[in-house]
Amino acid sequence: MKKLTISFLGRDCPGIVSAVSQILGQTGCNIIEVTQTILCGEFAAIFIVQAPENVTEESLHTQLALGLVDAKLDLSVLVRPAVEGRWEDSVVSQPFVVTVDDRPGLIAAMSRVFARHGVNIDSLKAVLGQDHSNHALFVFEVKVPENADLGRLRRELASEGQAQGLRVSVQHRDIFEAVHRIGSF
Protein backbone atom coordinates (compact mmCIF):
# COMPACT_ATOMS: atom_id res chain seq x y z
CA MET A 1 0.00 0.00 0.00
CA LYS A 2 1.12 3.55 -0.68
CA LYS A 3 -0.03 6.83 0.85
CA LEU A 4 -1.70 9.48 -1.28
CA THR A 5 -3.04 12.94 -0.47
CA ILE A 6 -6.31 13.91 -2.13
CA SER A 7 -7.65 17.47 -1.95
CA PHE A 8 -11.19 18.55 -2.83
CA LEU A 9 -12.49 22.08 -3.31
CA GLY A 10 -15.88 23.24 -4.55
CA ARG A 11 -19.46 24.13 -3.86
CA ASP A 12 -20.78 22.68 -0.60
CA CYS A 13 -23.87 20.46 -0.47
CA PRO A 14 -25.02 17.42 1.48
CA GLY A 15 -23.51 14.08 0.44
CA ILE A 16 -19.98 15.11 -0.55
CA VAL A 17 -18.16 13.06 2.10
CA SER A 18 -20.46 10.12 1.41
CA ALA A 19 -19.77 10.20 -2.34
CA VAL A 20 -16.01 10.68 -1.92
CA SER A 21 -15.67 7.89 0.65
CA GLN A 22 -17.72 5.50 -1.53
CA ILE A 23 -15.58 6.20 -4.60
CA LEU A 24 -12.40 5.74 -2.57
CA GLY A 25 -13.73 2.44 -1.19
CA GLN A 26 -14.52 1.21 -4.71
CA THR A 27 -10.91 1.87 -5.75
CA GLY A 28 -9.54 -0.12 -2.79
CA CYS A 29 -8.34 2.98 -0.93
CA ASN A 30 -8.52 3.20 2.85
CA ILE A 31 -9.01 6.65 4.44
CA ILE A 32 -6.49 7.07 7.28
CA GLU A 33 -6.78 10.83 7.96
CA VAL A 34 -9.22 13.51 6.88
CA THR A 35 -9.97 17.14 7.58
CA GLN A 36 -12.72 19.20 6.02
CA THR A 37 -14.33 22.58 6.45
CA ILE A 38 -16.96 24.83 4.94
CA LEU A 39 -16.08 28.46 4.23
CA CYS A 40 -18.65 30.84 2.72
CA GLY A 41 -20.43 27.95 1.00
CA GLU A 42 -17.21 26.38 -0.27
CA PHE A 43 -16.28 22.83 0.75
CA ALA A 44 -12.59 22.06 1.28
CA ALA A 45 -11.14 18.73 2.38
CA ILE A 46 -7.87 16.84 2.48
CA PHE A 47 -7.92 13.05 2.66
CA ILE A 48 -4.84 10.93 3.34
CA VAL A 49 -5.43 7.43 1.99
CA GLN A 50 -3.64 4.13 1.68
CA ALA A 51 -3.98 2.99 -1.91
CA PRO A 52 -3.16 -0.35 -3.53
CA GLU A 53 0.19 -0.29 -5.34
CA ASN A 54 -1.52 -0.77 -8.72
CA VAL A 55 -3.61 2.43 -8.29
CA THR A 56 -1.84 5.38 -9.91
CA GLU A 57 -2.47 9.02 -9.06
CA GLU A 58 -3.80 9.56 -12.59
CA SER A 59 -6.22 6.63 -12.49
CA LEU A 60 -7.50 7.61 -9.04
CA HIS A 61 -7.97 11.21 -10.17
CA THR A 62 -9.96 10.03 -13.20
CA GLN A 63 -12.17 7.73 -11.11
CA LEU A 64 -12.82 10.45 -8.54
CA ALA A 65 -13.59 13.09 -11.19
CA LEU A 66 -16.01 10.80 -13.04
CA GLY A 67 -17.67 9.67 -9.82
CA LEU A 68 -18.17 13.27 -8.69
CA VAL A 69 -19.74 14.18 -12.04
CA ASP A 70 -22.08 11.16 -11.73
CA ALA A 71 -23.00 12.31 -8.21
CA LYS A 72 -23.63 15.84 -9.58
CA LEU A 73 -21.02 17.36 -7.27
CA ASP A 74 -19.09 20.46 -8.31
CA LEU A 75 -15.63 19.72 -6.92
CA SER A 76 -12.06 20.07 -8.12
CA VAL A 77 -9.75 17.19 -7.22
CA LEU A 78 -5.98 17.00 -6.75
CA VAL A 79 -4.20 13.67 -6.13
CA ARG A 80 -0.53 13.53 -5.17
CA PRO A 81 1.87 11.36 -3.19
CA ALA A 82 1.59 11.96 0.56
CA VAL A 83 4.44 13.79 2.23
CA GLU A 84 6.43 11.57 4.55
CA GLY A 85 7.41 13.05 7.89
CA ARG A 86 6.12 16.25 9.41
CA TRP A 87 7.77 19.60 10.05
CA GLU A 88 7.12 19.20 13.76
CA ASP A 89 8.95 15.84 13.79
CA SER A 90 12.19 17.65 12.94
CA VAL A 91 11.74 20.65 15.27
CA VAL A 92 10.88 20.64 18.98
CA SER A 93 8.16 23.26 19.37
CA GLN A 94 5.49 24.63 21.69
CA PRO A 95 1.87 25.37 20.71
CA PHE A 96 0.70 29.00 20.96
CA VAL A 97 -2.46 30.88 20.02
CA VAL A 98 -2.17 34.36 18.53
CA THR A 99 -5.30 36.47 18.18
CA VAL A 100 -5.46 39.68 16.15
CA ASP A 101 -8.24 42.10 15.17
CA ASP A 102 -9.18 42.24 11.50
CA ARG A 103 -7.55 44.64 9.00
CA PRO A 104 -6.62 44.34 5.32
CA GLY A 105 -3.10 42.94 5.04
CA LEU A 106 -3.23 41.37 8.49
CA ILE A 107 -2.51 37.78 7.42
CA ALA A 108 0.44 38.83 5.26
CA ALA A 109 1.90 40.98 8.05
CA MET A 110 1.57 38.38 10.82
CA SER A 111 2.73 35.48 8.64
CA ARG A 112 5.89 37.42 7.67
CA VAL A 113 6.80 37.69 11.36
CA PHE A 114 6.06 33.99 11.90
CA ALA A 115 8.22 33.02 8.91
CA ARG A 116 11.18 35.09 10.18
CA HIS A 117 11.07 33.12 13.45
CA GLY A 118 10.54 29.66 11.90
CA VAL A 119 7.00 29.48 13.34
CA ASN A 120 4.61 27.09 11.59
CA ILE A 121 0.92 28.02 11.26
CA ASP A 122 -1.15 24.92 12.10
CA SER A 123 -4.53 26.58 11.79
CA LEU A 124 -5.92 29.99 10.87
CA LYS A 125 -9.53 30.97 11.46
CA ALA A 126 -11.53 34.18 11.20
CA VAL A 127 -14.29 34.53 13.78
CA LEU A 128 -16.89 37.07 12.63
CA GLY A 129 -18.28 39.62 15.06
CA GLN A 130 -21.60 38.91 16.73
CA ASP A 131 -23.26 41.85 14.99
CA HIS A 132 -22.56 40.15 11.62
CA SER A 133 -20.42 43.10 10.59
CA ASN A 134 -17.31 42.64 8.51
CA HIS A 135 -15.23 42.85 11.69
CA ALA A 136 -13.46 39.61 12.56
CA LEU A 137 -10.98 38.26 15.03
CA PHE A 138 -8.23 36.15 13.47
CA VAL A 139 -7.01 33.17 15.48
CA PHE A 140 -3.65 31.69 14.50
CA GLU A 141 -2.73 28.35 16.08
CA VAL A 142 1.04 28.14 15.69
CA LYS A 143 4.00 25.97 16.65
CA VAL A 144 6.92 28.02 17.96
CA PRO A 145 10.30 26.25 17.87
CA GLU A 146 11.81 25.85 21.33
CA ASN A 147 14.98 27.61 20.21
CA ALA A 148 13.05 30.69 19.00
CA ASP A 149 13.41 33.91 20.99
CA LEU A 150 9.84 34.09 22.30
CA GLY A 151 10.32 37.58 23.73
CA ARG A 152 11.53 38.90 20.38
CA LEU A 153 8.68 37.14 18.55
CA ARG A 154 6.12 38.73 20.91
CA ARG A 155 7.70 42.19 20.47
CA GLU A 156 7.71 41.91 16.66
CA LEU A 157 4.09 40.73 16.57
CA ALA A 158 3.05 43.56 18.93
CA SER A 159 5.00 46.09 16.86
CA GLU A 160 3.42 44.87 13.63
CA GLY A 161 -0.02 45.05 15.24
CA GLN A 162 0.63 48.51 16.68
CA ALA A 163 1.76 49.80 13.27
CA GLN A 164 -1.64 48.74 11.91
CA GLY A 165 -3.64 49.85 14.96
CA LEU A 166 -4.38 46.27 16.03
CA ARG A 167 -4.40 44.40 19.31
CA VAL A 168 -2.27 41.25 19.28
CA SER A 169 -2.43 38.58 21.96
CA VAL A 170 0.11 35.72 22.22
CA GLN A 171 -0.62 32.89 24.68
CA HIS A 172 0.57 29.34 25.14
CA ARG A 173 -2.25 27.11 23.89
CA ASP A 174 -2.78 25.53 27.34
CA ILE A 175 -3.30 28.97 28.90
CA PHE A 176 -5.55 30.11 26.04
CA GLU A 177 -7.74 27.01 26.41
CA ALA A 178 -7.92 27.35 30.21
CA VAL A 179 -8.95 31.02 29.97
CA HIS A 180 -11.52 30.39 27.23
CA ARG A 181 -12.97 27.13 28.59
CA ILE A 182 -16.69 27.35 29.09
CA GLY A 183 -17.72 25.94 32.45
CA SER A 184 -20.67 23.60 32.90
CA PHE A 185 -23.93 25.11 34.10
Side-chain angles (χ1 to χ4, degrees):
M1 298 290 267
K2 60 184 173 184
K3 280 188 186 178
L4 298 174
T5 300
I6 309 166
S7 304
F8 298 91
L9 180 64
R11 184 173 300 152
D12 183 40
C13 67
I16 292 175
V17 174
S18 173
V20 166
S21 59
Q22 286 178 17
I23 298 165
L24 288 170
Q26 292 165 358
T27 64
C29 292
N30 180 38
I31 300 168
I32 56 176
E33 286 188 67
V34 65
T35 185
Q36 69 111 122
T37 192
I38 309 300
L39 184 63
C40 292
E42 292 289 322
F43 173 90
I46 301 172
F47 286 70
I48 306 295
V49 302
Q50 287 181 320
E53 291 297 330
N54 64 337
V55 173
T56 66
E57 288 115 50
E58 295 79 17
S59 68
L60 183 56
H61 181 274
T62 299
Q63 288 179 287
L64 285 163
L66 291 173
L68 293 169
V69 167
D70 289 346
K72 297 179 177 41
L73 296 173
D74 180 19
L75 293 176
S76 298
V77 180
L78 174 66
V79 180
R80 54 186 279 169
V83 175
E84 291 300 324
R86 299 177 182 192
W87 173 84
E88 58 195 22
D89 293 340
S90 62
V91 177
V92 178
S93 60
Q94 292 288 319
F96 280 81
V97 177
V98 178
T99 57
V100 187
D101 291 330
D102 183 19
R103 281 275 202 281
L106 161 79
I107 295 172
M110 294 294 115
S111 61
R112 274 193 307 269
V113 175
F114 293 142
R116 279 196 302 268
H117 289 270
V119 172
N120 194 44
I121 301 171
D122 280 350
S123 174
L124 170 58
K125 210 174 249 192
V127 180
L128 291 178
Q130 292 181 354
D131 59 357
H132 300 289
S133 67
N134 286 335
H135 179 78
L137 177 71
F138 282 85
V139 180
F140 294 85
E141 292 185 40
V142 299
K143 292 282 178 64
V144 178
E146 265 190 6
N147 64 353
D149 183 339
L150 188 56
R152 184 172 172 217
L153 173 63
R154 286 179 190 267
R155 287 189 301 276
E156 285 186 34
L157 288 168
S159 176
E160 191 68 47
Q162 189 175 30
Q164 297 191 33
L166 303 172
R167 290 176 297 156
V168 178
S169 169
V170 180
Q171 295 177 307
H172 192 279
R173 186 180 62 204
D174 294 344
I175 294 169
F176 180 86
E177 288 177 352
V179 168
H180 294 88
R181 187 170 293 130
I182 299 173
S184 57
F185 294 92

